[in-house]
Amino acid sequence: MKKTYDSIMSLLSTGLGERLSIDPSRITYESKNDPGLPVEGHIVGGVRETIQIPDEYMNRANASNATEFLNWLASQ
C-alpha cells in the first residue's frame, strides 16, 4: 500500500496534479498496528493500511481502489 501511495504522490508532484486539479494534500496514507481479535492457540494481528482518496477524484478516474486510481494517473 505504501508503495502505491508513494507512486501516486510522485506522479502528482510532477505537475500532473495541478493540470488535473487534484490536490495531493487531500490524499492520505495511514498505517496502524491491528492486534485483531484473540484466538486461542493462534497469533493474530498485523498492520492495517489505508489510502484515502476523495470520492470526486475516484469518480473522475472511474476507479474503485488506489491501484486503479494510480493506473489512471499514469495514463494521463
Side-chain angles (χ1 to χ4, degrees):
M1 269 282 172
K2 179 73 166 111
K3 188 175 185 177
T4 299
Y5 173 77
D6 289 342
S7 296
I8 289 170
M9 290 297 112
S10 178
L11 282 171
L12 292 176
S13 71
T14 65
L16 182 62
E18 188 174 322
R19 185 168 59 84
L20 296 173
S21 299
I22 294 176
D23 179 0
S25 69
R26 294 186 60 204
I27 299 172
T28 60
Y29 168 81
E30 185 177 12
S31 175
K32 286 188 201 178
N33 285 328
D34 184 358
L37 297 172
V39 176
E40 188 174 329
H42 297 279
I43 297 172
V44 296
V47 177
R48 171 192 264 177
E49 296 178 296
T50 57
I51 298 174
Q52 295 292 326
I53 302 170
D55 287 343
E56 65 189 85
Y57 299 161
M58 294 295 281
N59 292 340
R60 190 180 330 165
N62 196 28
S64 61
N65 59 54
T67 301
E68 289 179 1
F69 183 73
L70 171 60
N71 291 339
W72 177 78
L73 282 177
S75 72
Q76 296 305 301

